[in-house]
Amino acid sequence: MKIKVHRGASQIGGCITEISTEGCKIFIDFGCNLPGCGSMELTKAQVGNMTAGADAIFYTHYHADHVGLHALVPDGVRQYIGAGARDVMRCKYEVLGQHENLLLTEKMLTYTVGRDIDVGGKGLIIVTPYFVSHSAFDSYMLKICCDGKTILHTGDFRRHGYLGKGLFHTLQEHVGQIDILITEGTMLGRRDEAVIREFDIRRNVVKLLRGHKYVFALCSSTDIERLASLNAACKVTGREFIVDRYQESVLKVFTRYSGKFSGLFDFSNAFRLWHDSAVKVMAHLRRVGFLAPVRASQYDFVRRMMTIYSDEPAWLVYSMWGGYAEKGRSYSLDGVAQIRSLFGGRIADGTKDGVHTSGHADIATLCKVCAAVNPRIGVIPIHKDKDVCLADLPGMDAYRVFPSGEYKVCNVYISVL
């Protein structure tokens, strides 16, 4: 068996991991580089050469740094993703008018939690997906059985979300001891960043809504748990949870797949804002107030709404990673600073004010996951900054950690680029 980490061991995002044996080859994720990383992106020819002879690609979730190069993959390679994740991708491409990407997304195959996929039909590589909590809806970790060895690829995951409570039950009951752990390590380079529970975010937004009638929330439009926190806060306070057409389409996907299991993920109460200045709409929203989730591209919408609903000062919930708001950085996100500038000091600001938390596992959870699956051969950390180390964490001296390099252990060839 061969494991080759093409990309991700020295950068966050752009993840590409190859697992192969004689007669079968798969990839886990085929993501594009995050903006501002400074690296040249792969071309279609390079993707074609890399995937030559591949039987399948399995995507852990729909974030671009994991699925962004799917359109460059040759037609003969099967591509798998969760059914709900595929529907969110459809919403995105429909709104952006990217019809070619939409057609390619329609061709993607879907997998089901806990159901084995015999990739080559001969038992050479068997992939089993299991659900994880992340800042993307319908995210999965993947157990891969190959040549008598078991690999767990965590994808991006966390424990502090609403859905994270099932993490260790899944590991204990369905995964068990493994041979190799391929784990994300985003928070290894952010050890000082506060990690709070989604429940605490909901409680803090409730407090803000009780004191202010008009609130905008700059956040991810596809993070089901964050949007659930904001929506739940609206239900508690009687504020309207107002959305545009795109956000409504995403919420309908969430409700269809998850609303039947928990009222927390039922977004059928969302108030679709067709005409922001219609007389009846204005009268209603001025009476009850609102929270509006918005994206970095919606500066004009926010400014217009603040002009229409100006009887009280509006506030902003900044519920994103703080780096996006820094000016002049390679990772700064266009539009974030513009929107923030509209609110002066009326901003509940990220982790500092308890309205944001990471979509990734904190340090303690990373260590506990390693202990839970107790990898016999070792651990390959990916989705992490270049100069951070997993081996120096408490208890990790019990496991061999594979940084960049070439290795052969127990008839497994490991290449970490």
Side-chain angles (χ1 to χ4, degrees), residues 193 318 320-327 329-333 336:
E193 184 176 316
Y318 181 72
M320 302 178 75
W321 177 51
Y324 294 139
E326 295 179 23
K327 296 180 180 179
R329 300 282 190 171
S330 60
Y331 43 74
S332 302
L333 198 60
V336 166

Side-chain angles (χ1 to χ4, degrees), residues 310-366:
S310 58
D311 52 302
E312 288 189 16
W315 276 70
L316 177 70
V317 169
Y318 181 72
S319 194
M320 302 178 75
W321 177 51
Y324 294 139
E326 295 179 23
K327 296 180 180 179
R329 300 282 190 171
S330 60
Y331 43 74
S332 302
L333 198 60
D334 291 344
V336 166
Q338 270 191 313
I339 289 178
R340 287 173 61 96
S341 70
L342 294 171
F343 294 89
R346 303 185 308 277
I347 301 176
D349 212 347
T351 57
K352 178 171 64 74
D353 293 326
V355 293
H356 177 66
T357 193
S358 178
H360 301 274
D362 59 274
I363 299 300
T365 298
L366 289 174

Side-chain angles (χ1 to χ4, degrees), residues 287-301:
R287 183 175 69 256
V288 303
F290 62 76
L291 182 147
V294 295
R295 304 178 292 283
S297 60
Q298 291 187 286
Y299 171 81
D300 290 338
F301 167 74

